[in-house]
């Protein structure tokens, strides 16, 4: 996928770079193709990856593989189209009801889309719940400990297979980010997709939100993260002064710098080039940070991850951020509980 596009992942694939891989596709049987789709789906790159494979298959006259790709892309495109229609309706309903909204994460993957729809709002929990249930007939999902700490709700809307996850007033796994969260609405921009215009975070807030998710919560990347942010950085639209200012509000500048170094190193390993200012590399845990593919995801080294958590907590103490001071210490026991629950039951949903 990385080698099949020239930075712009919404453009047509360029197979001239992929001559060395062309021979491999002749070995893909139906079982291997299904495994490929499952992995692409986990990483939210199904459309981008299969368009490249479909182009390669056509050039190699692998008609069966080309057909499989076409069918899979068409099915995924229909899912995405339906989700975008619903997303627009949900955004309009919330905003018309006095709940300012920004669509976070979900539209970053375009032309792909995530497995759920994520929103941030500065409205009150009572407003959000009332609007979702009364105007959209949505059903609220049971909330885990982590959901309650993060101040987020999940809703199932009739006719929409994807869950709608709404972060209310705060960000961060323990809902510790108040000032940073306020910037999401204050600095929001618009993006038009499939004929609908959505409020979305500015480039700097996109990076901040994904850093919180990858470097301070999950500790792994999806391939979409690498593709999304390599493409964003290539546009030159990121204001690094503004980015650092936002990151320092929440004490996560070292995490943001480490996040960007990981993206840069990964893109470089596939022939890409992501230029970062010197001060970004200097602020990262290491200038050579890399992820490891393990358990179907791109895992962040745990040593740097632990250090980032510690620096965030210390920053909260230095600045007298009482909300962060009271909430961040809950993260380690919550993570341990989630791990134990997963080992015992195979699911951490009641915790995480």
């Amino acid at each position: 996928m990385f080698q099949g596009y020239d930075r712009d992942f919404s453009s047509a694939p360029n197979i001239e770079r992929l001559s060395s891989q062309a021979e491999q596709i002749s070995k893909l049987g139906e079982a291997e193709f299904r495994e490929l789709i499952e992995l692409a789906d986990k990483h939210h790159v199904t459309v981008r990856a299969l368009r490249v494979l479909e182009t390669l298959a056509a050039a190699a006259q692998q008609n069966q593989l080309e057909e499989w790709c076409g069918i899979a892309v068409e099915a995924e495109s229909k899912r995405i189209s339906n989700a975008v229609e619903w997303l627009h309706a949900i955004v309009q309903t919330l905003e018309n009801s006095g709940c300012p909204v920004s669509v976070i994460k979900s539209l970053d993957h375009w032309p792909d889309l995530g497995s759920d729809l994520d929103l941030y709002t500065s409205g009150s929990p009572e407003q959000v719940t009332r609007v979702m249930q009364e105007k959209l007939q949505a059903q609220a999902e049971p909330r885990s400990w982590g959901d309650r700490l993060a101040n987020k709700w999940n809703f199932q809307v009739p006719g929409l297979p994807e869950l709608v996850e709404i972060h209310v007033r705060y960000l961060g796994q323990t809902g510790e980010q108040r000032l940073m969260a306020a910037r999401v609405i204050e600095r929001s921009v618009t993006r038009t997709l499939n004929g609908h215009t959505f409020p979305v975070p500015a480039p700097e807030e996109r990076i901040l939100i994904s850093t919180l998710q990858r470097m301070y919560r999950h500790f792994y990347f999806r391939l979409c993260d690498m593709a999304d942010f390599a493409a964003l950085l290539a546009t030159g639209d990121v204001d690094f002064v503004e980015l650092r200012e936002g990151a320092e509000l929440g004490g996560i500048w070292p995490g943001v710098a480490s996040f960007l170094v990981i993206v840069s190193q990964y893109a470089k390993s596939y022939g890409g080039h992501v230029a970062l200012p010197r001060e970004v590399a200097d602020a990262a845990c290491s200038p050579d940070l890399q992820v490891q593919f393990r358990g179907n995801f791109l895992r962040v080294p745990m040593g740097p991850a632990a250090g980032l958590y510690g620096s965030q907590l210390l920053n909260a103490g230095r600045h007298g951020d009482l909300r962060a001071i009271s909430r961040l210490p809950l993260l380690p026991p919550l993570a341990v509980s989630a791990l134990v629950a997963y080992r015992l039951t195979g699911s951490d949903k009641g915790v995480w």
Side-chain angles (χ1 to χ4, degrees):
M1 188 188 76
F2 265 90
Q3 294 176 346
Y5 296 95
D6 184 15
R7 297 188 179 184
D8 181 3
F9 289 95
S10 64
S11 62
N14 181 356
I15 63 169
E16 292 179 4
R17 306 178 184 184
L18 294 165
S19 56
S20 61
Q21 285 89 350
E23 185 179 346
Q24 297 175 17
I25 68 167
S26 63
K27 303 172 185 177
L28 275 178
E30 187 172 3
E32 289 82 5
F33 181 73
R34 286 177 180 171
E35 290 178 8
L36 177 66
I37 289 181
E38 288 177 8
L39 189 60
D41 184 59
K42 281 188 176 78
H43 287 264
H44 305 334
V45 294
T46 302
V47 173
R48 286 172 283 187
L50 291 189
R51 280 179 179 169
V52 174
L53 188 59
E54 184 179 20
T55 303
L56 275 172
Q61 297 184 338
Q62 296 288 330
N63 297 333
Q64 182 66 76
L65 181 57
E66 182 184 4
E67 182 181 349
W68 289 340
C69 289
I71 291 170
V73 169
E74 182 179 2
E76 183 66 358
S77 297
K78 286 181 179 178
R79 179 189 79 85
I80 291 170
S81 180
N82 180 67
V84 167
E85 292 294 323
W86 271 106
L87 180 61
H88 183 255
I90 293 165
V91 167
Q92 291 294 109
T93 301
L94 286 167
E95 290 196 324
N96 291 340
S97 302
C99 297
V101 170
S102 181
V103 181
I104 61 173
K105 297 183 287 187
S106 300
L107 299 179
D108 290 358
H109 318 316
W110 198 261
D112 287 285
L113 191 77
S115 53
D116 56 15
L117 302 178
D118 292 272
L119 302 173
Y120 169 82
T121 179
S122 57
S124 70
E126 295 77 18
Q127 277 180 301
V128 170
T129 302
R130 178 178 55 79
V131 171
M132 292 298 293
Q133 292 179 336
E134 293 181 4
K135 297 194 174 183
L136 292 164
Q137 287 73 56
Q139 180 177 349
E141 294 287 299
R143 298 173 74 204
S144 67
W145 299 349
D147 291 340
R148 294 175 187 277
L149 278 174
N151 218 45
K152 65 182 181 181
W153 281 257
N154 284 282
F155 296 93
Q156 186 69 70
V157 178
L160 176 64
E162 294 79 10
L163 282 177
V164 180
E165 183 172 281
I166 304 181
H167 299 249
V168 181
R169 292 188 173 174
Y170 303 102
L171 291 173
Q173 176 57 24
T174 60
E176 74 279 2
Q177 298 292 349
R178 178 177 60 86
L179 296 177
M180 187 188 300
R183 287 168 53 102
V184 174
I185 299 294
E186 290 169 2
R187 303 187 65 251
S188 68
V189 296
T190 58
R191 187 173 183 187
T192 301
L193 298 168
N194 279 18
H196 296 303
T197 299
F198 297 94
V200 297
E204 296 75 26
E205 274 62 55
R206 280 182 58 184
I207 294 172
L208 296 177
I209 290 168
S210 288
T211 296
L212 286 173
Q213 184 182 33
R214 296 297 158 212
M215 305 300 293
Y216 293 89
R217 182 188 177 193
H218 290 309
F219 309 116
Y220 67 77
F221 281 63
R222 286 187 166 97
L223 185 56
C224 62
D225 300 307
M226 304 302 188
D228 300 342
F229 290 97
L232 176 62
L233 291 166
T235 65
D237 291 340
V238 177
D239 182 334
F240 287 95
V241 173
E242 189 69 53
L243 175 63
R244 180 166 186 167
E245 182 178 319
E248 289 183 339
L249 284 175
I252 65 166
W253 174 238
V256 169
S258 299
F259 174 92
L260 294 176
V261 165
I262 286 174
V263 170
S264 176
Q265 293 286 6
Y266 193 88
K268 182 180 177 181
S269 70
Y270 286 92
H273 176 68
V274 175
L276 296 175
R278 181 68 187 178
E279 59 268 24
V280 173
D282 289 345
C285 295
S286 166
D288 300 311
L289 278 175
Q290 296 191 31
V291 289
Q292 290 186 336
F293 183 72
R294 190 173 68 254
N296 284 330
F297 293 101
L298 301 164
R299 303 287 174 176
V300 175
M302 290 310 295
L308 292 174
Y309 167 75
S311 68
Q312 184 187 14
L313 186 57
L314 286 172
N315 181 82
R318 284 196 301 269
H319 290 88
D321 187 340
L322 296 181
R323 183 178 180 86
I325 291 170
S326 64
R327 287 172 172 264
L328 282 172
L330 300 173
L331 186 56
L334 184 69
V336 170
S337 298
L339 179 61
V340 171
Y342 181 77
R343 292 264 174 93
L344 292 176
T345 68
S347 173
D348 62 2
K349 293 300 182 185
V351 180
W352 206 244

